[in-house]
Amino acid sequence: PSSRFEMAITLSRPLVLLLALLALFISLDGLGDRKLANPDEGRYSEIAREMAASGDFVTPRLNGLKYFEKPPLQYWATAISFRLFGESEFTARLYTALCALGCILLTAYCARRVFDEETALLSGLVLLSAPYFAALSEIVTLDMGLTFWMTVSLCAYLIAERTGNERSRSRWLVTAWVGMAGAVLSKGLVGLVFPAGAIFLYGLLE
């Protein structure tokens, strides 16, 4: 067991680097190759485009009409992407791709903190190789943003529960609440209900 652990330590740094590079490549490669699909990709991208064009980041609009069906976090992120890098299919999908990359790296980091480096590598590679996850990373929907912020919340809570230092534990718990807030701003109250439900059930078991 000791020699296997030492080998995992030796291999971990290049493998983590490879994992990050693969995730970045898969997340960003080909984002602009396809036209935006209807209805979701066109709708969410157009709302962000109008927000970037008008400079009004308070009131989302679709074809000039006020649109309050969904929370605004992804509109804000995509509007900023449009302003920084121009309007294209690539910049419309950039936020969801970066959220997917963040999920992979957060999962690997959390597994390393909670378990060990070998588990971190395996969990990151499993998520990286999941076909449905990879597909959602290149589609303009709210689901990948929701997934990222709920991953922030869950990972921060798991790390907090295994942290002995009280100050560090408090910071991780605050990070978990920030993750829930980001999830709510991504897709509504489901971003609070799901993490809170998981934490509640964990509390009952413990």
Side-chain angles (χ1 to χ4, degrees):
S2 177
S3 62
R4 288 213 315 266
F5 180 73
E6 289 174 4
M7 184 178 294
I9 295 263
T10 304
L11 295 175
S12 64
R13 290 182 182 178
L15 282 176
V16 166
L17 178 61
L18 176 63
L19 173 64
L21 291 175
L22 280 172
L24 182 62
F25 176 77
I26 289 176
S27 296
L28 300 181
D29 181 55
L31 289 183
D33 291 349
R34 295 176 290 104
K35 296 295 183 182
L36 296 175
N38 286 322
D40 286 349
E41 284 200 306
R43 179 195 306 122
Y44 297 140
S45 299
E46 174 60 18
I47 293 171
R49 190 199 67 78
E50 293 185 34
M51 186 174 284
S54 67
D56 182 359
F57 280 66
V58 176
T59 307
R61 289 180 172 82
L62 177 61
N63 298 324
L65 301 176
K66 295 178 182 179
Y67 188 89
F68 295 113
E69 184 176 333
K70 302 293 184 182
L73 181 57
Q74 184 159 321
Y75 306 150
W76 294 339
T78 307
I80 291 171
S81 176
F82 285 158
R83 283 201 165 187
L84 291 177
F85 307 113
E87 296 174 9
S88 67
E89 285 83 358
F90 179 90
T91 51
R93 298 185 177 108
L94 183 59
Y95 173 72
T96 56
L98 292 177
C99 283
L101 175 63
C103 285
I104 294 168
L105 298 179
L106 271 174
T107 300
Y109 176 76
C110 179
R112 181 180 180 276
R113 290 288 301 264
V114 175
F115 300 105
D116 52 48
E117 296 199 9
E118 186 176 2
T119 306
L121 293 172
L122 291 174
S123 60
L125 288 170
V126 166
L127 185 55
L128 177 64
S129 63
Y132 187 65
F133 181 85
L136 281 181
S137 71
E138 297 190 1
I139 300 174
V140 185
T141 67
L142 306 180
D143 297 320
M144 189 54 70
L146 174 68
T147 301
F148 169 73
W149 288 108
M150 287 203 298
T151 302
V152 170
S153 182
L154 180 60
C155 288
Y157 183 79
L158 288 173
I159 294 172
E161 282 298 293
R162 286 156 177 80
T163 300
N165 183 283
E166 191 61 33
R167 175 177 289 186
S168 177
R169 184 174 185 273
S170 296
R171 288 174 180 171
W172 281 113
L173 287 175
V174 169
T175 303
W177 285 109
V178 170
M180 288 188 196
V184 170
L185 284 172
S186 296
K187 207 170 181 179
L189 288 177
V190 65
L192 178 63
V193 173
F194 281 8
I199 291 170
F200 175 74
L201 292 174
Y202 174 81
L204 286 180
L205 291 174
E206 291 296 312

